[in-house]
Amino acid sequence: MAEARRLRGHKATATCCIASRDRPGLVATSGEDGCICWFDMRCKDVLFTMDLGANSISSLCFKPGRQGIPLFEANAWKSLESFNYNKEEINQIACNSKASFLASADDDGEVKIIDIRQKCLHKTLRSGHTSVSFLINWDLQQCAIPSLETLGSAITGGLDSKLVMWDFSKGRPYKIVDFGVADMDNSSSAGQCLNPSFVHAIAVPEADMLEKSGKICVVARGDGVVDVINIESEFAAAQSKSSLKAQKGSKSRSKSSASTAAETLNQNGRRLHLDYTLGGHTASVSCVAFSLFGERGKSIISGGNDKTVKIWDCSRHLDALQPSSSNDILRLNINLSKKVNWLCSTPTDSENLVVCDTTKVVKVYTIS
């Protein structure tokens, strides 16, 4: 692989990066220096730097339909809006596809839902996490889940090892996946026993990726495992469990049998574990993303504290959710000199993988 291109502009560690889909080659990065740096891959140097203060910037997101400047007007050099609803430090933000709501997850485990158009707090999602909530992904209905076609939805993860799928209309969890419990009950899990299975990042496919990726959710775990979860089976398990609870008049024997089946599906649903036995990470996985280059959504990209970035070709295994060997699922391994903080991909043929490590210099690789 060719040597990485280096993007310089930050004065401290780069924490996050995002790439525009509407304007290929446009990349924004944030850092602990309180700055947002804008890069055009066609240009040699940073386009401009937005200094937002002394506090570290932990997360960036584009406002859909306006992927030139994310919630900021560059020409005016000031924020268009400012919201101050979270009581604790914000870990990640995400805007829904209709650009109507902004979600912000904080250290208290709460997720604030902000109505961007009305400029007010719409709802607080709580009682899902008992510890730091890190991440949000919107619009699970894009994955064609029948029960969510008419509902708003979101999915979050946190340091309580839980993945929470929210019924946005009711403001409460619809399904909770506890990876801590699963690891103790599932002897087939190849996660590292010394590292807890915290959820560090999640990714769901965008609408135009579904043909390649299917209806899945990818989870970066603290024990080095990248989990690929079939969302439909998880929701089916939740629906079966709810249905069984409602059937109080059925015979105890049949009820017990059905309950056992539901619990089996609930605990062991259709999941693909990408761990070190398949050439995966040997330390905590810090981020995951779907590829925007080539065939959108065909590859899953993960980065970790083991100083590696791995590109997985899961398209042939998503139906069975069972790889035959590491040779046909791990497409590429990139060794770095530092731990990975964040990464993203761009919809271009070259310079299409952007990596923020624990330095102030952002690296860009070409994946062909």
Side-chain angles (χ1 to χ4, degrees):
M1 174 176 288
E3 185 177 350
R5 176 180 175 181
R6 296 173 179 268
L7 304 181
R8 304 179 188 277
H10 288 289
K11 299 177 182 179
T13 299
T15 56
C16 183
C17 56
I18 53 175
S20 172
R21 294 190 55 173
D22 297 341
R23 301 182 183 182
L26 184 63
V27 174
T29 63
S30 64
E32 293 180 354
D33 54 1
C35 294
I36 297 176
C37 293
W38 286 90
F39 299 93
D40 187 331
M41 294 297 100
R42 298 171 298 179
C43 303
K44 180 180 179 181
D45 300 317
V46 59
L47 291 180
F48 54 84
T49 301
M50 303 169 66
D51 191 344
L52 305 182
N55 295 325
S56 174
I57 300 174
S58 57
S59 180
L60 295 171
C61 75
F62 282 115
K63 183 178 180 181
R66 192 174 180 174
Q67 291 199 6
I69 304 297
L71 297 180
F72 289 89
E73 184 61 59
N75 296 329
W77 292 101
K78 62 181 181 180
S79 62
L80 298 176
E81 301 292 343
S82 180
F83 304 107
N84 188 25
Y85 296 112
N86 293 82
K87 296 180 180 179
E88 301 294 334
E89 181 178 331
I90 295 173
N91 296 304
Q92 192 167 0
I93 58 174
C95 195
N96 72 334
S97 61
K98 297 181 180 179
S100 54
F101 293 105
L102 178 71
S104 58
D106 61 29
D107 279 355
D108 202 29
E110 294 186 347
V111 180
K112 302 292 184 181
I113 307 297
I114 301 167
D115 189 322
I116 299 176
R117 296 169 183 172
Q118 299 298 323
K119 302 178 182 179
C120 64
L121 179 65
H122 176 73
K123 191 172 296 186
T124 298
L125 304 182
R126 55 169 60 96
S127 302
H129 294 285
T130 57
S131 183
V132 178
S133 57
F134 263 103
L135 28 108
I136 317 104
N137 240 302
W138 282 94
D139 298 326
L140 287 180
Q141 63 265 36
Q142 289 183 350
C143 293
I145 306 300
S147 59
L148 292 180
E149 287 179 351
T150 59
L151 300 176
S153 56
I155 182 168
T156 63
L159 296 188
D160 53 3
S161 301
K162 292 179 181 178
L163 183 75
V164 181
M165 303 176 190
W166 296 88
D167 182 337
F168 180 60
S169 64
K170 298 179 181 178
R172 65 188 185 192
Y174 183 84
K175 167 75 176 180
I176 298 178
V177 179
D178 191 335
F179 292 106
V181 172
D183 283 346
M184 289 185 291
D185 293 340
N186 187 2
S187 59
S188 64
S189 174
Q192 303 170 62
C193 61
L194 297 180
N195 293 330
S197 53
F198 295 155
V199 178
H200 287 163
I202 54 177
V204 295
E206 298 182 31
D208 62 352
M209 298 179 179
L210 293 177
E211 184 177 348
K212 287 294 179 184
S213 64
K215 306 157 190 176
I216 61 174
C217 173
V218 182
V219 182
R221 290 170 37 173
D223 57 357
V225 175
V226 176
D227 256 341
V228 183
I229 299 175
N230 184 294
I231 298 178
E232 278 189 318
S233 69
E234 297 295 335
F235 275 92
Q239 287 178 327
S240 298
K241 190 173 182 179
S242 299
S243 176
L244 289 169
K245 288 182 179 179
Q247 296 174 359
K248 295 183 179 181
S250 60
K251 294 182 180 180
S252 60
R253 183 174 181 181
S254 60
K255 184 176 181 180
S256 176
S257 176
S259 177
T260 301
E263 289 174 0
T264 300
L265 179 60
N266 182 39
Q267 292 180 5
N268 305 318
R270 297 181 61 196
R271 302 179 189 175
L272 176 61
H273 297 275
L274 306 178
D275 53 46
Y276 66 88
T277 64
L278 296 173
H281 295 279
T282 56
S284 175
V285 186
S286 55
C287 51
V288 286
F290 285 93
S291 60
L292 292 180
F293 49 78
E295 297 180 80
R296 295 178 188 264
K298 181 180 180 180
S299 299
I300 293 171
I301 311 168
S302 62
N305 288 350
D306 57 355
K307 306 176 185 179
T308 66
V309 171
K310 299 181 185 293
I311 301 179
W312 307 88
D313 184 3
C314 299
S315 58
R316 291 175 293 175
H317 307 283
L318 291 175
D319 290 334
L321 287 184
Q322 182 60 49
S324 56
S325 69
S326 61
N327 296 330
D328 59 355
I329 192 169
L330 181 59
R331 175 182 168 189
L332 182 65
N333 180 78
I334 304 174
N335 292 310
L336 310 176
S337 60
K338 300 292 183 179
K339 298 178 181 179
V340 178
N341 279 337
W342 206 253
L343 57 77
C344 69
S345 63
T346 69
T348 55
D349 294 331
S350 62
E351 297 183 338
N352 45 25
L353 177 61
V354 184
V355 179
C356 295
D357 56 26
T358 54
T359 70
K360 60 184 179 181
V361 180
V362 178
K363 282 76 174 180
V364 183
Y365 299 86
T366 295
I367 307 300
S368 57

